[in-house]
């Protein structure tokens, strides 16, 4: 899951850079409004890429990880109705 999210993130960021470079390197010679539109699209991609990269998948069980504090872990397990083997 992590590898796929990483690949999607880098593909989105590569698309963003490509749009920006093409907008002001090539497209602006024919149409400035089109170049500005491409930059607006490129501006939206990085926040979406960050959300995709930081999304938790169904296999990521970060909430079950022990915190390192035995008293706190015992307290949370009691609240969740779990019994830890001693």
């Amino acid at each position: 899951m992590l590898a796929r999210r990483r690949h999607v993130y880098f593909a989105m960021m590569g698309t963003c850079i490509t749009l920006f470079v093409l907008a002001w390197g090539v497209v602006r010679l024919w149409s400035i409004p089109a170049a500005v539109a491409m930059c607006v699209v490129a501006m939206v991609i990085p926040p979406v890429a960050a959300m995709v990269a930081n999304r938790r998948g169904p296999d990521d069980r970060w909430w079950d990880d022990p915190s390192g504090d035995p008293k706190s872990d015992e307290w949370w397990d009691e609240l969740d109705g779990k019994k830890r083997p001693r």
Side-chain angles (χ1 to χ4, degrees), residues 2-85:
L2 178 62
R4 184 170 57 194
R5 286 194 311 252
R6 186 177 296 148
H7 288 133
V8 171
Y9 173 78
F10 283 119
M12 290 177 80
M13 293 306 290
T15 303
C16 175
I17 291 171
T18 302
L19 279 172
F20 186 75
V21 168
L22 284 177
W24 295 113
V26 178
V27 176
R28 74 171 170 87
L29 300 173
W30 290 283
S31 173
I32 295 214
V36 170
M38 288 173 70
C39 284
V40 168
V41 171
M43 178 182 68
V44 173
I45 292 174
V48 174
M51 287 186 271
V52 166
N54 290 316
R55 185 180 64 86
R56 297 286 182 181
D59 297 334
D60 297 338
R61 301 204 35 112
W62 56 272
W63 58 87
D64 285 344
D65 290 343
S67 67
D69 179 19
K71 194 78 165 162
S72 175
D73 292 339
E74 183 180 329
W75 184 76
W76 281 108
D77 287 343
E78 181 182 334
L79 284 177
D80 291 339
K82 291 193 257 178
K83 290 286 187 188
R84 278 189 184 249

